[in-house]
Amino acid sequence: MSWRGIIEEFREHLPVRPETPVITLLEGNTPLIPAPKLSKQLGRDIQVFLKYEGLNPTGSFKDRGMTMAMSVALEKGAHTVLCASTGNTSAAAAAYATRANLRCVVLLPENKISKGKLAQALMYGAKAVAIQGNFDDALRLVRELGSEPGFAVVNSINPDRIQGQKTGSFEIINTLGRAPDAHYLPVGNAGNITAYWLGYQEFHQLGKATTLPKMVGFQASGSAPIVRGHPIEHPETVATAIRIGNPASWDGATAAIRDSGGLVDEVTDAEILSAQRWLAAQEGVFVEPASAAGIAGLFKQLCSGQLPSILAEGATVVVTVTGHGLKDPDTAIENSPGMVSCWARREDVLRLIST
Ligand code: AN7
């Protein structure tokens, strides 16, 4: 049978009722791609796999949470869904709201959304509002507006979002036949690390995995509140998806890291951009800048000599690469070597490519 989306595939593990209307674009079932060159770089027989969430219907992991949040919002009789977003949540909310015939309002930090994501929110037909402030300001507004009659908040402060996103762990365990030894991922609002840890724990309790992974999160240096231990008032990073100074799921992230024996650290914008380029050029997997934070973290730990204390010889590592590279073409083009130009003549092209 063909894939039915995460609600039907994992119904018994999700808080849906038989009468819940299932709003789906057949999200999930994303590939777990081996990364042989990355594995070789790390050495010691470590095996790295990429959970390529960019292949979801709107190009990011947010679709897993949105199918849940939208289905429940519709069941509860909402007429408007509302979210703050650095871009991907708004794209997913807009698409799923369209499927549910609900009005969608997205609050976006002005001029800090990548082009692909803005195009999506607009094309799917959301009411897009540019907020003169950052994501944290927009989320504060959402909390205030959420109590309006008929409104449903679809940010990850909505627990249905976390429930949907935990299915990433289920798929990984089903594919590997076990849990990985460590799970790396970027951390912004911290919903995803919270969700993955929940998913791993649930399948562990059900006996579908006998071990649990260390959860290892990476924030961008200019937006690293959890690493620093306090909110960042003016977060900055080229990875606009994770330009967040006061994560909503801070406690969930802290618990995941502590209870799994993992860690949280930061990577600079330069490290993020070079990991993004490396992954595209070496493994053929193009992800957006924020999505490269976990890869950048692995390289950072390798270079600092920290890696052996986290990953034993022969360890299996999964890195969630959260969003598609086409989400942010401007940053990609700015940070690539660019094109060369020449006359439309055979010998000119051959001369150019020989150097
Ligand atoms: C590509 O869309 O917060 O730690 O509003 O888009 O669960 O927040 C996006 C976050 C990582 C961080 N990678 O995940 C939003 C938003 C990508 C993202 C994250 C985001 P969380």
Side-chain angles (χ1 to χ4, degrees), residues 184-328:
Y184 282 58
L185 76 174
V187 174
N189 215 22
N192 216 26
I193 190 168
T194 303
Y196 267 101
W197 180 237
L198 180 65
Y200 282 125
Q201 286 177 294
E202 286 187 8
F203 262 28
H204 182 248
Q205 275 152 18
L206 291 169
K208 291 175 185 278
T210 55
T211 59
L212 288 163
K214 291 179 182 173
M215 300 300 299
V216 183
F218 282 91
Q219 302 199 287
S221 292
S223 307
I226 301 178
V227 179
R228 304 292 161 82
H230 57 80
I232 305 294
E233 202 177 334
H234 298 294
E236 277 308 340
T237 170
V238 69
T240 53
I242 52 172
R243 185 174 171 272
I244 294 172
N246 192 10
S249 298
W250 193 318
D251 292 344
T254 309
I257 292 155
R258 181 195 58 221
D259 297 346
S260 71
L263 63 93
V264 63
D265 197 4
E266 62 188 270
V267 282
T268 65
D269 280 3
E271 288 169 330
I272 287 172
L273 292 173
S274 96
Q276 182 197 20
R277 264 197 315 275
W278 191 92
L279 201 65
Q282 300 298 321
E283 300 283 12
V285 176
F286 184 27
V287 303
E288 67 170 285
S291 304
I295 306 294
L298 267 177
F299 279 125
K300 178 181 177 179
Q301 293 172 342
L302 175 68
C303 294
S304 69
Q306 196 190 0
L307 205 60
S309 68
I310 303 158
L311 299 177
E313 188 171 340
T316 298
V317 184
V318 171
V319 186
T320 298
V321 285
T322 45
H324 203 285
L326 293 174
K327 292 274 191 177
D328 189 355

